[in-house]
Amino acid sequence: MHSTRRAETFPANTPAASQVFTTVLSHGPLTRLEAARRAGLSPAAVTKAVRPLIEAGYLTEDADAEARPTLGRPANPLRVNGGRALFIGAKVTGDEIIGVLTDLCCQVRISRHVPLSAPDPRAVLAALAALVQDLMTEAHGLGAGVLGLGVAVSGDVDRGAGTVRYSPFLEWRDVPLAELACTTTGLPVTVDNDVRALTVAEQWFGAGVGLSDFAVVTVGAGIGCGLVVHGRVVAGAHGVAGEIGHVTVDPAGPPCHCGNRGCVEAIAGDAAIVRQVREATGLTVADTGDALALAHRGVAGAREVYARAGAAIGRGIATVANLLGPERVIISGEGLAAHDLFAEQIRDAFGAAAFGSAARCDVQTRPLPFEQWARGAAATAIQSFIRADEQRPGR
Amino acid sequence: MHSTRRAETFPANTPAASQVFTTVLSHGPLTRLEAARRAGLSPAAVTKAVRPLIEAGYLTEDADAEARPTLGRPANPLRVNGGRALFIGAKVTGDEIIGVLTDLCCQVRISRHVPLSAPDPRAVLAALAALVQDLMTEAHGLGAGVLGLGVAVSGDVDRGAGTVRYSPFLEWRDVPLAELACTTTGLPVTVDNDVRALTVAEQWFGAGVGLSDFAVVTVGAGIGCGLVVHGRVVAGAHGVAGEIGHVTVDPAGPPCHCGNRGCVEAIAGDAAIVRQVREATGLTVADTGDALALAHRGVAGAREVYARAGAAIGRGIATVANLLGPERVIISGEGLAAHDLFAEQIRDAFGAAAFGSAARCDVQTRPLPFEQWARGAAATAIQSFIRADEQRPGR
DNA sequence: AGGATTAATTTCCGCTGTCAATAAAAGAAG
DNA sequence: CTTCTTTTATTGACAGCGGAAATTAATCCT
């Protein structure tokens, strides 16, 4: 995270305070006693930790009039005051930037698309600045300040340093994006890999809440994977992890741009599906919309392509499950528009290839609008804001 | 870990003490200042933490006469007093138990093999008791007490509960091994999966020292994998992880006992190699020794089998590297006897299938005598002893 | 009005690790 | 041979965090 100006800071001085806040953020309204239990603290600690947070307006206590027990002093459930702070999340793709304005609870308030003429850093930065400007003026009407900007980019991103080390899609190398964006927008900036950002959103606000080991698999132009192990998102020693897209599922399969054959992505990625449907049907197939339409119209060749894609994805997920034994795998991404065409095959292939207890892993599909990518970026900004001065416990 | 008697406990009451001890254990002799830096503590904290450990004889300070700087007060490097305590590690296989007596530094002092008539829990427990008895009498001559027993078993093991949930090799289900072994031996017992145990040994005493993300891949009867992510061994939500053996590398490959085709194990496992060499040469091949001999004699068919095995292993490792981005992969196991026959293919296949920065992962081969499996078990016992009352930070 | 019951808070206390100052153990310099 | 310099280790005062137990608060029940 980078920031120049003296930005508003989060008044969670102690580990316990940060812990409690995160717990309440993820687990909805909680009484102090429940929060204490969940965070592994004493009630007294919660009371102390919570006071400055309430005073600063980040937490509120609302005696929930309904649903109260018949006996004893009624509880004052704590909840995060979403409207207290706003964040901007932006996802940069090859041809556009998707931006969202979210509140502290990562609820999307406003979303915007900005087309990109060229994906070079200069143009992206200009578009990003305009986008942020736009969203910040909108934010004025909401009565809260924008406290951070998260940017999600595909590829090798060093979140700690705030730099994009290498993004094949954008053809960037060693771009200090956080620093640049910070100087143009004046906001504290967090830069992270797009799939990891989405994983953070799921971990704090989605289907990964409360789980210490799970995976997010995204299906779309590429096949990506975000991993949470021991309660933390895996970044890998070299900043890259979760490359499920290039797991080989069939050495005799179609060639992949990565140089191998039969990668998941070469079978189930958008481009691969379009190509395969075209070859199978002999018809004109311009994009995944066309491919999908053909399959939905019942064209056998197209359906088979999706079935094979599902099997490839299922086998890729089984590989993750076999290696890491996650509690849950969340399948998501635009590719899920074809959900009905390959969900069964995913499940079957997973079941066949998952070994022993790994098969007990809960595989969920979670269709997700494209703006969720930008929401993931906002989630990283929220995370950075809350943990502003926290250190990672190395070791 | 299970223990009935009041056993000797480790005087590291505080987190810092445990931290410092572990640091010195892994990083050899260290001055207090170096230890403080490495453990992220103040020198004062090290002094305080270290005192009871020295008094109890677990640490010693030896002014290293040689190699001292020319100026200033000479340092008193701290080192672990290996001879202070002894541990027993045992690896249970289908037909024998390998046991080792190690010191606190996990140096093997004595090793023993005990044949097993049948792998049912009764027989194993009897053999284990005899083995422990034997090693404990040997231990008397070494002037230190045996403070723990570690047992390594393949399959699904719940270390926390001390039970073997399911071991296909031994055909065990839900055997409370720690409890049983504790009552027969009177020692505190730690039970863990064999590959994870080996991984712990590498993490604390081997090629994984100082790394927060690495993998151990074992090649032998099966192909196993132990993972360390965020500095902790991965156990998986359901107690199973690291099943690299059943990663599919060739859907058209030979069938595997797991029900799929072309698993790494079905190509590079001992049984697969023996079968394939037999088929390729038409000769009598009883075991891996025969297969190895043929290959070393230059029989083309046999050499090809090993080459294919190497490629399969390399691809499996690449999958791990792509998913987790480890800093290092340590290849080990009895199968490395064929190291010269497939090391090149492992490297080539890894290089071809590793994507982007994942290729920067350092792949090492580390031939390891079979008794190292038992040493891994001892390492888990040492770990349990040192962290006797520590809790895992869930979340 | 006075229990009964559950929630939250307060007060006090112990413990851990840091800070800054100090002691220790040498060689170097005069 | 004393004193200075340099580096390592220790000491003692101190601050902060979180916990235990007692206390207060808020409500319903009798």
Side-chain angles (χ1 to χ4, degrees):
Chain A
M1 221 225 354
H2 262 262
S3 89
T4 45
R5 296 190 197 168
R6 191 85 221 99
E8 181 170 350
T9 61
F10 188 64
N13 13 5
T14 118
S18 179
Q19 180 87 331
V20 169
F21 187 82
T22 311
T23 304
V24 175
L25 188 61
S26 288
H27 294 87
L30 289 176
T31 70
R32 286 166 170 77
L33 266 72
E34 284 174 277
R37 194 177 44 72
R38 285 206 120 104
L41 294 165
S42 69
V46 173
T47 292
K48 282 184 234 176
V50 138
R51 203 191 318 278
L53 291 169
I54 292 179
E55 272 167 15
Y58 290 103
L59 287 178
T60 55
E61 40 184 350
D62 281 313
D64 221 333
E66 325 95 64
R68 114 181 344 163
T70 48
L71 218 59
R73 170 178 175 173
N76 286 21
L78 297 165
R79 70 184 72 217
V80 172
N81 179 11
R84 172 64 178 77
L86 299 171
F87 296 85
I88 295 175
K91 151 86 177 173
V92 180
T93 72
D95 50 9
E96 63 174 352
I97 301 181
I98 301 104
V100 294
L101 182 73
T102 77
D103 61 21
L104 183 53
C105 293
C106 214
Q107 295 285 346
V108 174
R109 300 292 188 92
I110 298 170
S111 80
R112 290 270 190 280
H113 288 227
V114 176
L116 271 180
S117 49
D120 67 293
R122 245 187 145 66
V124 167
L125 227 65
L128 187 63
L131 180 72
V132 168
Q133 197 53 53
D134 181 11
L135 288 172
M136 283 185 75
T137 50
E138 295 282 351
H140 274 133
L142 297 174
V146 175
L147 303 188
L149 166 65
V151 184
V153 179
S154 72
D156 179 356
V157 178
D158 183 336
R159 171 166 172 172
T163 60
V164 177
R165 284 207 287 245
Y166 177 51
S167 174
F169 251 84
L170 304 175
E171 294 177 28
W172 287 9
R173 267 192 197 281
D174 294 313
V175 177
L177 186 55
E179 202 183 317
L180 297 171
C182 179
T183 52
T184 59
T185 65
L187 290 171
V189 178
T190 306
V191 177
D192 207 340
N193 168 276
D194 53 354
V195 185
R196 282 205 301 267
L198 194 62
T199 305
V200 169
E202 290 297 312
Q203 182 184 26
W204 280 30
F205 306 103
V209 165
L211 304 182
S212 64
D213 297 87
F214 70 93
V216 174
V217 173
T218 63
V219 181
I223 314 288
C225 176
L227 300 168
V228 171
V229 177
H230 300 144
R232 287 171 51 189
V233 176
V234 176
H238 306 295
V240 175
E243 270 306 339
I244 196 185
H246 299 281
V247 166
T248 306
V249 292
D250 182 4
C256 179
H257 62 86
C258 78
N260 287 300
R261 290 183 153 272
C263 302
V264 176
E265 200 162 307
I267 298 173
D270 282 349
I273 285 185
V274 168
R275 186 183 44 70
Q276 289 175 102
V277 170
R278 190 186 300 129
E279 286 170 6
T281 62
L283 301 169
T284 310
V285 184
D287 54 18
T288 50
D290 292 354
L292 208 51
L294 287 171
H296 277 148
R297 217 181 301 150
V299 178
R303 297 187 74 92
E304 270 161 35
V305 167
Y306 276 103
R308 277 201 303 275
I313 294 166
R315 228 179 270 153
I317 291 173
T319 300
V320 174
N322 285 337
L323 277 176
L324 295 170
E327 204 163 331
R328 178 175 292 166
V329 173
I330 303 158
I331 310 174
S332 193
E334 318 83 67
L336 279 197
H339 176 255
D340 56 314
L341 292 169
F342 59 34
E344 200 184 321
Q345 283 81 2
I346 290 178
R347 239 162 254 283
D348 289 351
F350 172 79
F355 189 69
S357 300
R360 275 155 53 192
C361 169
D362 170 30
V363 179
Q364 293 188 352
T365 50
R366 221 170 122 80
L368 130 161
F370 200 75
E371 73 177 15
Q372 293 283 335
W373 288 104
R375 181 171 175 257
T380 65
I382 294 172
Q383 196 178 50
S384 293
F385 174 67
I386 290 173
R387 309 191 157 162
D389 48 356
E390 252 179 89
Q391 241 76 276
R392 281 291 140 81
R395 280 264 312 150
Chain B
M1 218 225 353
H2 264 262
S3 88
T4 45
R5 295 187 196 169
R6 192 86 220 98
E8 182 169 350
T9 62
F10 188 64
N13 14 5
T14 120
S18 179
Q19 181 87 331
V20 170
F21 187 82
T22 311
T23 304
V24 175
L25 188 61
S26 288
H27 294 87
L30 290 176
T31 71
R32 285 165 171 77
L33 265 69
E34 284 175 276
R37 193 178 44 73
R38 285 205 120 103
L41 294 164
S42 68
V46 173
T47 292
K48 282 183 224 172
V50 137
R51 199 191 322 275
L53 290 170
I54 292 178
E55 272 167 14
Y58 290 104
L59 287 177
T60 55
E61 40 183 350
D62 282 313
D64 222 334
E66 326 93 63
R68 115 178 347 162
T70 48
L71 216 56
R73 170 178 174 172
N76 285 24
L78 298 164
R79 72 183 71 217
V80 172
N81 178 12
R84 172 63 178 77
L86 299 171
F87 295 86
I88 295 176
K91 152 85 177 175
V92 181
T93 73
D95 51 8
E96 64 173 353
I97 301 181
I98 302 103
V100 295
L101 182 73
T102 78
D103 62 21
L104 185 52
C105 294
C106 214
Q107 294 284 347
V108 175
R109 300 291 188 92
I110 299 171
S111 79
R112 290 270 189 281
H113 287 228
V114 176
L116 270 181
S117 49
D120 67 294
R122 249 187 141 66
V124 167
L125 227 66
L128 187 63
L131 179 73
V132 168
Q133 199 52 54
D134 181 11
L135 288 173
M136 283 185 76
T137 51
E138 294 282 353
H140 275 133
L142 298 174
V146 174
L147 303 188
L149 165 65
V151 184
V153 178
S154 72
D156 178 356
V157 179
D158 183 336
R159 172 167 172 172
T163 60
V164 177
R165 283 206 289 245
Y166 177 51
S167 175
F169 249 85
L170 303 177
E171 295 178 28
W172 287 9
R173 265 192 198 281
D174 295 314
V175 177
L177 186 54
E179 201 182 317
L180 296 171
C182 179
T183 53
T184 59
T185 65
L187 290 171
V189 179
T190 306
V191 177
D192 207 340
N193 168 275
D194 54 354
V195 185
R196 282 204 301 265
L198 194 63
T199 306
V200 168
E202 288 299 312
Q203 182 185 26
W204 280 30
F205 306 104
V209 165
L211 305 182
S212 64
D213 297 88
F214 71 94
V216 174
V217 173
T218 63
V219 181
I223 313 289
C225 176
L227 300 168
V228 171
V229 177
H230 300 145
R232 286 172 52 190
V233 176
V234 177
H238 306 294
V240 175
E243 272 303 340
I244 197 185
H246 299 281
V247 165
T248 307
V249 292
D250 183 3
C256 178
H257 61 85
C258 78
N260 287 301
R261 290 183 153 272
C263 301
V264 176
E265 199 163 309
I267 298 173
D270 282 350
I273 285 185
V274 169
R275 186 184 45 69
Q276 290 175 105
V277 171
R278 190 185 301 131
E279 286 171 6
T281 62
L283 300 170
T284 310
V285 183
D287 55 18
T288 49
D290 292 354
L292 209 51
L294 285 172
H296 277 149
R297 216 180 303 149
V299 178
R303 296 187 74 91
E304 272 162 33
V305 168
Y306 277 103
R308 276 201 302 275
I313 294 166
R315 231 179 268 154
I317 291 172
T319 299
V320 174
N322 285 337
L323 277 176
L324 295 170
E327 204 162 333
R328 178 174 293 165
V329 173
I330 303 158
I331 310 175
S332 192
E334 318 84 67
L336 280 195
H339 175 254
D340 55 315
L341 291 169
F342 59 34
E344 200 184 320
Q345 283 81 1
I346 291 178
R347 240 161 253 282
D348 289 352
F350 172 80
F355 189 69
S357 300
R360 275 155 54 191
C361 168
D362 169 30
V363 180
Q364 292 190 353
T365 50
R366 221 170 121 81
L368 127 164
F370 200 75
E371 74 178 15
Q372 293 283 336
W373 288 103
R375 181 171 176 257
T380 65
I382 294 171
Q383 196 178 49
S384 293
F385 174 67
I386 290 173
R387 309 190 157 164
D389 50 356
E390 251 179 272
Q391 241 78 275
R392 282 291 140 81
R395 278 267 307 154

